[in-house]
Amino acid sequence: MKIKYLILAFLPFSLMACQSMQSSKPVSIMTEKKINEAQTITAYTWSYQPSGTPTPIQLHFTADHLGITTGCNNQGSSWKIEGHHLVTSSLVSTMKACSPELMKNEQFSSNLLNDQKVKFELNTSSVEQPSLIFTAADGQKYEFKGTMTPETKYQSQGEIIFLEISPETKPCTGVAPQTCLQVREIKYNDKGIKTQVDKDWTLFYDQIQGFQHRADQRVIVRIKRYERKNPAADQSKYAYVQDMIVEQEIVQKP
């Protein structure tokens, strides 16, 4: 089946709201089971690395949308649960040129999840890392490992902030001597126009989950900032998670 190509705007992760159950007891039990499965699926990011590929495939579920990160192009579709099956629509995808190795990831996810009704089972014996196991049409099983989404871990949607990050880091001292990023906060209006850029660089003592600093690159990063409920004595009040790169520029050193 052909995949429809479209530039995707993936929505933030969210937990599926519970539905009212007014039917008879057997139907209510089945409906409750389906809701519990959907809540579990949306509470995690699911990863699997096919053989011979350099990076894992990741599945991101919201209440009605499945986003697939392949390492190059992003794919997506609607999804629902029918019995013991995950039902997906035709995948849509971005259209970047990819290496042959990453194309294997796209081919794998397309074969498994493009307009399919694929049998699945959840293994939640480990809350920290459950498994989502798919059985393909040929009977082959594929085990995706779950990692809690930040929304699940911190029990909030997070505050969106934008930071410009300098190529140059600085030595600093927090709990102990360390190396700090240099950042400036940026604000945008509803039309995406910059309305404020901090004049001076500020030392950033925390870590940004998912961000990899490069000494030859200036970037603006959209970040989700989550408030920790009970931070440890040596922890910041906030946890920072990279949401997306907004701008990036290679900087030539003099």
Side-chain angles (χ1 to χ4, degrees):
M1 300 176 189
K2 293 184 179 179
I3 301 173
K4 300 175 184 177
Y5 286 93
L6 181 69
I7 300 299
L8 301 180
F10 289 103
L11 300 176
F13 306 138
S14 62
L15 296 181
M16 187 175 183
C18 291
Q19 303 169 1
S20 60
M21 294 170 284
Q22 304 294 333
S23 53
S24 61
K25 185 175 180 180
V27 176
S28 296
I29 292 172
M30 290 305 295
T31 304
E32 183 178 359
K33 181 175 183 293
K34 183 168 70 174
I35 291 173
N36 289 339
E37 287 178 333
Q39 288 177 329
T40 300
I41 287 172
T42 57
Y44 294 84
T45 297
W46 304 92
S47 300
Y48 175 80
Q49 186 163 351
S51 177
T53 63
T55 186
I57 292 169
Q58 292 188 330
L59 308 181
H60 313 280
F61 291 87
T62 65
D64 57 3
H65 185 267
L66 163 61
I68 306 172
T69 305
T70 66
C72 183
N73 283 302
N74 295 323
Q75 301 171 319
S77 78
S78 62
W79 71 282
K80 61 182 178 179
I81 293 174
E82 289 185 358
H84 299 291
H85 293 82
L86 183 78
V87 181
T88 61
S89 59
S90 297
L91 292 178
V92 293
S93 177
T94 54
M95 295 182 65
K96 295 187 291 185
C98 303
S99 67
E101 292 79 11
L102 291 177
M103 286 298 294
K104 290 181 181 178
N105 272 359
E106 294 186 35
Q107 292 163 1
F108 175 90
S109 57
S110 297
N111 290 337
L112 183 64
L113 296 169
N114 181 40
D115 195 18
Q116 293 292 327
K117 186 174 182 179
V118 57
K119 186 178 179 181
F120 78 92
E121 58 184 295
L122 275 170
N123 183 340
T124 56
S125 57
S126 170
V127 175
E128 291 298 321
Q129 193 177 61
S131 296
L132 178 60
I133 304 164
F134 292 110
T135 302
D138 61 1
Q140 181 68 43
K141 292 181 181 290
Y142 300 100
E143 183 177 11
F144 286 72
K145 291 291 188 179
T147 304
M148 280 186 186
T149 67
E151 285 78 8
T152 302
K153 184 175 182 179
Y154 301 111
Q155 293 298 294
S156 69
Q157 288 301 309
E159 176 190 5
I160 296 291
I161 63 172
F162 296 86
L163 295 179
E164 179 181 5
I165 301 177
S166 170
E168 184 180 1
T169 57
K170 294 282 187 181
C172 59
T173 302
V175 177
Q178 64 186 73
T179 300
C180 284
L181 298 173
Q182 293 190 95
V183 305
R184 294 193 293 205
E185 186 168 3
I186 295 176
K187 295 186 183 297
Y188 295 87
N189 63 17
D190 293 340
K191 296 181 180 179
I193 299 172
K194 293 177 187 176
T195 58
Q196 177 187 329
V197 180
D198 288 350
K199 180 180 178 181
D200 300 319
W201 293 102
T202 301
L203 293 177
F204 188 80
Y205 291 85
D206 293 292
Q207 302 296 317
I208 302 173
Q209 181 182 327
F211 175 72
Q212 293 185 334
H213 179 264
R214 285 179 50 175
D216 65 343
Q217 194 173 75
R218 180 197 65 84
V219 296
I220 296 177
V221 184
R222 188 172 75 183
I223 290 169
K224 286 188 175 182
R225 181 170 66 186
Y226 301 88
E227 185 172 353
R228 291 189 171 102
K229 305 299 182 185
N230 297 293
D234 59 347
Q235 277 187 320
S236 166
K237 178 182 178 180
Y238 296 105
Y240 298 84
V241 180
Q242 175 180 303
D243 190 36
M244 68 175 292
I245 300 294
V246 177
E247 292 182 20
Q248 55 188 8
E249 175 188 11
I250 299 297
V251 176
Q252 301 295 332
K253 290 187 176 181

